[in-house]
Amino acid sequence: MIDTDKYEGHTEGPWVNFGGDIYSAKGEHIADTVLNMVIPQDKAYANTFLIADAPLLLEEVKDLQKKLDNLREYCHAEGYDIFNWEVKNIEVIE
């Protein structure tokens, strides 16, 4: 599971990609991304969009972690053997 605590204090989203530079909605400069010939241009642009979507992805991870915690609590309260279920599903996922 991703430890989202290390992201505490980051600049709040949304972020936008503007010509390879990433800015917050308030106009704060977040990051420079270099669009050069070292990385193919389509890959470089895709990277900038991924960076710009970081706050959205982080929020999604936090939401999914909460849902998983709720599911664990429910299963424990109902007496389900969640440990074996998780082990089986991890094997399937990997």
Side-chain angles (χ1 to χ4, degrees):
M1 190 177 311
I2 295 174
D3 177 13
T4 59
D5 290 343
K6 65 184 173 185
Y7 306 124
E8 290 298 320
H10 72 84
T11 303
E12 293 297 319
W15 294 355
V16 294
N17 174 14
F18 186 74
D21 290 327
I22 309 301
Y23 293 90
S24 74
K26 296 179 182 177
E28 299 167 281
H29 188 256
I30 305 295
D32 288 320
T33 57
V34 179
L35 300 177
N36 58 34
M37 300 308 282
V38 176
I39 299 173
Q41 192 171 21
D42 58 337
K43 184 177 275 192
Y45 278 116
N47 290 343
T48 63
F49 288 116
L50 179 60
I51 293 166
D53 282 346
L56 299 172
L57 296 169
L58 177 59
E59 197 58 40
E60 184 71 17
V61 166
K62 288 180 178 181
D63 288 344
L64 291 171
Q65 286 177 346
K66 285 179 189 174
K67 288 177 182 177
L68 183 56
D69 288 341
N70 290 340
L71 178 61
R72 285 185 179 123
E73 288 176 21
Y74 172 80
C75 289
H76 180 71
E78 294 295 317
Y80 294 112
D81 185 1
I82 185 104
F83 178 75
N84 286 331
W85 175 82
E86 287 180 334
V87 170
K88 289 177 187 173
N89 283 303
I90 288 171
E91 291 171 359
V92 170
I93 292 169
E94 292 176 347

